[in-house]
Structures are given as structure tokens and as C-alpha cells.
């Protein structure tokens, strides 16, 4: 058993859910969260937002999945992120579950 942790901006919500479905992940949890990025060390010319911090409406997903479903999900995320013309991407991490009930 693996634990997928996924973060994305809110506008990617339907894409994340589509990719979970394509990967045969039928059960997951999600919650709206506020994403934050500290831009204080970035040069003002390259800082599109013109401030030292940026908050964005984001979504956090997590799902307990069988090991064999993880690779397909990562492949779908990689393809999606490669096609993005925006600076934002979908981020995903996988953790081993040693014991669950």
C-alpha cells in the first residue's frame, strides 16, 4: 500500500481527478488549502506578482493506493506538467505504508 500526496492549484482540480480515475484510484480525499511561495529573494524584474509573497488557491489530495497504480499516475502527471505553459505544476509524492488498518 502506498500513500499519494498531491498538490495543485485549484484550476487543475478536474485534471487531477481525471488522472486519478485513469489510474483506477477510486477513493481519495481532497481539501482546499492556501499555497504559499516566498518571493523575497527573487529579483523584482522577474517577480511577476511584484510582492515578496504569493498565495494561491490550491487543493491537497491524498489517496491510499495499491503499489501497481502509482507508476501510471506519475506518468500522467509528468505528461500533464510537460504540456503546461504556466509556471504552476501538479506536484505529487508517494510514501510507503508499512502498516495500515
Amino acid at each position: 500500500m502506498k500513500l499519494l500526496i498531491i498538490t495543485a492549484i485549484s484550476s487543475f482540480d478536474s485534471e487531477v481527478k481525471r488522472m486519478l480515475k485513469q489510474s483506477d484510484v477510486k477513493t481519495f480525499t481532497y481539501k482546499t488549502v492556501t499555497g504559499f511561495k516566498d518571493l523575497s529573494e527573487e529579483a523584482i524584474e522577474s517577480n511577476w506578482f511584484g510582492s515578496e509573497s504569493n498565495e494561491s488557491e490550491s487543493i491537497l489530495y491524498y489517496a491510499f493506493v495499491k503499489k501497481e497504480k502509482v507508476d501510471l499516475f506519475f506518468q500522467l502527471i509528468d505528461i500533464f506538467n510537460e504540456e503546461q505553459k504556466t509556471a504552476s505544476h501538479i506536484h505529487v509524492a508517494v510514501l510507503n505504508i508499512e502498516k495500515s488498518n
Side-chain angles (χ1 to χ4, degrees):
M1 187 67 75
K2 304 287 185 176
L3 173 62
L4 284 179
I5 301 172
I6 308 150
T7 60
I9 58 174
S10 294
S11 60
F12 291 163
D13 180 50
S14 61
E15 287 85 356
V16 172
K17 289 176 181 173
R18 178 184 52 79
M19 288 183 271
L20 285 165
K21 184 176 182 178
Q22 281 182 280
S23 302
D24 200 30
V25 176
K26 298 179 193 290
T27 305
F28 59 91
T29 301
Y30 67 97
K31 179 167 181 54
T32 57
V33 294
T34 301
F36 176 82
K37 183 174 183 180
D38 182 0
L39 301 172
S40 61
E41 295 182 16
E42 197 170 312
I44 194 70
E45 300 84 30
S46 63
N47 182 349
W48 191 77
F49 296 99
S51 68
E52 290 187 359
S53 65
N54 178 37
E55 292 183 353
S56 60
E57 293 181 21
S58 300
I59 302 181
L60 171 69
Y61 310 79
Y62 61 91
F64 293 96
V65 300
K66 293 183 179 178
K67 179 173 60 173
E68 58 270 11
K69 297 180 182 184
V70 171
D71 289 338
L72 175 58
F73 186 74
F74 267 84
Q75 290 171 5
L76 295 170
I77 294 294
D78 287 342
I79 292 167
F80 178 85
N81 284 339
E82 286 174 14
E83 295 173 352
Q84 289 310 301
K85 299 194 182 351
T86 64
S88 188
H89 289 98
I90 297 172
H91 302 279
V92 61
V94 63
L95 302 170
N96 289 321
I97 303 298
E98 292 182 26
K99 189 175 182 179
S100 66
N101 195 351

